[in-house]
Amino acid sequence: MSEQEFLQNLEKKLWNAADKLRSTLDAAQYKHAVLGLLFIKYVSDAFDIRRQELIEQFQDENHDYYLDPADFASEVECQEEIAVELEVRDYYTEKNVFWVPALGRWANLQDNAKLPPGTKIEIKNGKTTTYEMRSVGRLIDDALDAIEKDNPKLKRVLNKSYGRLQIDPAKLGELIDLIATIPFKHASLQAKDILGHVYEYFLGQFALAEGKKGGQFYTPKSIVSLIVEMLQPFSGRVYDPAMGSGGFFVQSEQFIKEHGGKLGNVSIYGQEYNHTTWQLAAMNMVIRGLDFNFGKEPANTFTNDQHPDLRADFVMANPPFNMKEWDTGVKDDDPRWHYGKPPSGNANFAWLQHMLYHLAPGGSMGLLLANGSMSSNTNTEGDIRRALVEHDLVECMVALPGQLFTNTQIPACIWFLTRNKKARGNLADRSGKVLFIDARNLGYMKDRVLRDFKPEDIQKVADTFHVWQQGEDYADEAGFCCSATLEEIKKHDFVLTPGRYVGAADEVEDGEPFAEKMARLTTQLQEQFARSSELEGDIKRNLAGLGYDC
């Protein structure tokens, strides 16, 4: 079975089973219950894999950790020494594996989750202690607390609220059994790849289940992929000031892996206001083994910037659209508003300028905004957009199709900006030019309400952008892309809607003479009118038979 088939089968099986257990709990609460357990499963399994390695090393006479049975009085004594050594934390931390105390290990949860309250459990963690079972929710909270205390890196990352969840203890026990079925062995996939995939899939499914609120923590994968494919963050500092669950970082990791890059060449910086979403993002990074800096705490990006001195090589974000009353506590002369103070009634240009402020001199950025940002002249928005164009910061504008988001029907676009359009590396001089791409006709309806991009759609947009950047083999395509000068944009009063520049697609000539086509179409229309009259008569007769006249 291929990797893709394996993962698709797994994700559907797990989600269907997990959703059945949801019962009356709303998706927002259930999300934390499921994802927190997935996290324990990950750290516990990584711990067990390292533990198995150590057992083999203690018995391998060619390894530095070898314990020679000849040095012990008996085989039993040797095995007891191995058991003691297996509880030494340094063996795990030296391999960047989280130390998991016995109370926090998955086997302890699964073995004891269904015990009645008051049952005494023996916990062997170097020394033996007794734990009194109060509820399965409390057992999970205590397991998370134990893991967090022994791993300072996880401080405030874990959501210890299972004891307060209004979820049937029996259902929670079944959920533990379900997550225990996740297979961690595949010919070419590592355990963390499998769990990382399941975690990301569940985030997307919960976003769908939560509807409008789901968009606060999750950006559809195809949009994230499009921005990452266009910016190509191979190395340097990557920053997302509205990171949600960290989708841009996950996709950047995937991009680097697929293109043979080194994950260690990228540094991750993020910020998120919502505390539980901040925790989701941190767990998302830990599961993938990614180092990250999400600041000291969850905080408002505008009033409590967690990375004030950061200048990032790549800045990517999907901030909330058209956010109102965002500027309480923000100074009018804040240095971020270099191109004009954004209006209080809409934060679109506040997000854009915040990202621009944190962009390194040679950096590039991409952000999703509502379509109104491309043409609005409300308050100072038109002036800010004009200043951005006149300073030659806008590199590309992409108009997106509708129905891509789970939480909003507002049409959206992607802004790409850079501080340096001069020729460098394999890039041509793009000074004074902006690429417009109208992608509204791309994608397909994946179900009744949601549209998605196919991989070839993403590739078409990304390739067009890269070819234009490199200045080779690029050509405008009516209805799809156009490279415009700043003078042309000025003639359009600095409106950046791609449709204004790319025009309409050329009609394909079918070779049928106009007069013949009209005769054929009018005949077809007359036939359809006649058929319509017949159907109307049938319906009236049927209704009359039932005693209704119309």
Side-chain angles (χ1 to χ4, degrees):
M1 186 184 293
S2 70
E3 287 182 7
Q4 194 172 10
E5 287 173 327
F6 171 79
L7 292 172
Q8 284 177 347
N9 289 341
L10 179 63
E11 67 194 19
K12 284 177 186 168
K13 172 189 152 192
L14 285 172
W15 175 257
N16 289 338
D19 204 38
K20 278 182 189 171
L21 292 172
R22 177 148 66 102
S23 185
T24 56
L25 203 64
D26 73 56
Q29 284 187 299
Y30 192 59
K31 171 181 67 189
H32 294 292
V34 173
L35 297 178
L37 283 171
L38 275 175
F39 181 80
I40 298 179
K41 177 72 170 143
Y42 164 73
V43 293
S44 191
D45 279 30
F47 178 84
D48 285 343
I49 290 171
R50 175 60 182 149
R51 193 177 172 89
Q52 191 56 44
E53 279 178 5
L54 286 169
I55 291 173
E56 292 170 7
Q57 290 166 1
F58 292 145
Q59 296 171 340
D60 179 1
E61 59 185 20
N62 296 315
H63 197 278
D64 290 344
Y65 291 164
Y66 177 57
L67 294 174
D68 189 347
D71 295 337
F72 298 90
S74 66
E75 175 63 22
V76 172
E77 192 177 307
C78 180
Q79 291 302 319
E80 286 175 349
E81 180 58 25
I82 288 177
V84 170
E85 289 293 314
L86 286 172
E87 297 298 328
V88 175
R89 179 197 308 251
D90 290 349
Y91 286 127
Y92 301 86
T93 54
E94 71 180 9
K95 293 288 184 181
N96 289 322
V97 172
F98 287 107
W99 165 256
V100 183
L103 183 61
R105 293 173 195 169
W106 186 262
N108 184 57
L109 282 188
Q110 195 175 6
D111 292 346
N112 300 311
K114 294 171 185 170
L115 294 177
T119 305
K120 301 281 178 51
I121 305 169
E122 199 174 72
I123 305 292
K124 291 182 180 177
N125 200 56
K127 59 183 181 180
T128 301
T129 56
T130 300
Y131 178 87
E132 183 174 337
M133 185 76 181
R134 278 176 274 187
S135 69
V136 61
R138 182 61 184 267
L139 177 64
I140 298 171
D141 286 340
D142 289 339
L144 289 166
D145 192 48
I147 294 171
E148 192 174 276
K149 278 180 179 169
D150 273 328
N151 297 279
K153 197 174 176 181
L154 296 177
K155 191 177 180 182
R156 299 196 310 273
V157 166
L158 307 180
N159 189 344
K160 302 180 284 293
S161 60
Y162 287 81
R164 299 194 299 275
L165 283 177
Q166 299 298 311
I167 184 169
D168 181 354
K171 296 284 186 188
L172 208 46
E174 288 180 55
L175 191 57
I176 290 172
D177 286 341
L178 172 69
I179 291 173
T181 66
I182 298 176
F184 286 94
K185 289 186 179 175
H186 182 271
S188 54
L189 288 169
Q190 294 183 354
K192 72 174 185 178
D193 294 329
I194 297 171
L195 246 181
H197 181 90
V198 171
Y199 191 92
E200 191 67 14
Y201 178 77
F202 272 33
L203 277 174
Q205 291 301 103
F206 279 120
L208 281 173
E210 288 187 43
K212 190 172 182 180
K213 290 182 180 175
Q216 294 173 3
F217 65 86
Y218 185 79
T219 304
K221 185 181 174 186
S222 62
I223 301 176
V224 176
S225 299
L226 175 61
I227 293 177
V228 169
E229 287 287 338
M230 291 178 77
L231 291 182
Q232 299 184 316
F234 272 119
S235 62
R237 291 154 294 188
V238 179
Y239 172 51
D240 182 346
M243 66 182 177
S245 55
F248 281 108
F249 304 134
V250 171
Q251 203 54 43
S252 296
E253 177 216 16
Q254 192 67 30
F255 175 84
I256 292 167
K257 279 184 177 176
E258 288 173 358
H259 292 82
K262 292 182 180 176
L263 290 178
N265 291 342
V266 168
S267 302
I268 291 172
Y269 297 85
Q271 180 157 351
E272 171 60 44
Y273 191 23
N274 183 290
H275 185 230
T276 52
T277 304
W278 187 90
Q279 291 176 315
L280 287 181
M283 287 194 290
N284 209 357
M285 299 302 104
V286 171
I287 280 177
R288 291 173 168 76
L290 297 175
D291 282 331
F292 59 93
N293 181 344
F294 291 166
K296 292 179 182 175
E297 57 191 350
N300 183 315
T301 300
F302 297 125
T303 58
N304 188 4
D305 189 348
Q306 292 291 294
H307 308 286
D309 300 322
L310 174 66
R311 295 296 179 268
D313 302 287
F314 300 96
V315 188
M316 299 178 267
N318 172 24
F321 291 172
N322 303 326
M323 200 168 88
K324 296 178 172 58
E325 298 172 2
W326 57 274
D327 58 345
T328 303
V330 181
K331 293 179 180 176
D332 287 352
D333 61 351
D334 190 297
R336 290 173 289 187
W337 317 146
H338 188 74
Y339 302 96
K341 166 76 169 58
S344 299
N346 196 316
N348 286 346
F349 284 99
W351 285 110
L352 189 151
Q353 290 195 80
H354 173 89
M355 293 168 69
L356 198 52
Y357 178 79
H358 285 286
L359 192 63
S364 298
M365 59 178 260
L367 83 160
L368 283 150
L369 287 178
N371 272 2
S373 61
M374 299 190 288
S375 58
S376 170
N377 285 315
T378 306
N379 296 313
T380 56
E381 291 185 331
D383 295 334
I384 296 172
R385 190 173 56 251
R386 174 181 181 150
L388 294 169
V389 172
E390 288 181 337
H391 283 82
D392 207 9
L393 293 163
V394 182
E395 184 169 29
C396 177
M397 298 296 301
V398 178
L400 295 172
Q403 297 176 274
L404 283 172
F405 296 88
T406 58
N407 63 323
T408 179
Q409 295 298 316
I410 297 175
C413 60
I414 312 175
W415 288 66
F416 289 92
L417 291 90
T418 180
R419 288 192 180 280
N420 183 4
K421 290 187 182 175
K422 299 291 184 189
R424 55 189 163 125
N426 64 343
L427 302 181
D429 187 354
R430 292 101 65 214
S431 301
K433 295 177 185 172
V434 177
L435 177 65
F436 291 92
I437 297 177
D438 190 344
R440 288 177 299 171
N441 293 323
L442 299 183
Y444 69 102
M445 294 302 292
K446 64 188 295 188
D447 57 34
R448 191 169 53 82
V449 294
L450 272 181
R451 181 176 286 273
D452 202 357
F453 282 134
K454 295 177 182 174
E456 52 266 37
D457 296 326
I458 293 173
Q459 208 57 53
K460 179 177 182 180
V461 177
D463 286 349
T464 301
F465 180 54
H466 296 148
V467 165
W468 175 81
Q469 281 186 312
Q470 292 160 15
E472 296 176 357
D473 300 325
Y474 170 82
D476 290 347
E477 180 182 330
F480 178 64
C481 63
C482 173
S483 179
T485 64
L486 299 192
E487 276 303 309
E488 289 171 298
I489 295 170
K490 186 178 179 181
K491 289 176 185 173
H492 285 280
D493 199 21
F494 297 96
V495 169
L496 299 178
T497 308
R500 287 203 177 200
Y501 301 89
V502 305
D506 295 333
E507 290 292 326
V508 178
E509 181 57 56
D510 58 9
E512 185 178 12
F514 179 76
E516 291 180 18
K517 181 182 283 188
M518 284 304 295
R520 177 176 60 78
L521 291 175
T522 50
T523 301
Q524 187 180 342
L525 189 59
Q526 285 170 356
E527 291 171 355
Q528 288 170 341
F529 282 155
R531 180 60 182 148
S532 171
S533 296
E534 287 176 21
L535 291 173
E536 184 179 344
D538 291 344
I539 292 169
K540 285 180 177 176
R541 278 190 292 279
N542 288 335
L543 285 171
L546 296 171
Y548 299 97
D549 290 325
C550 62

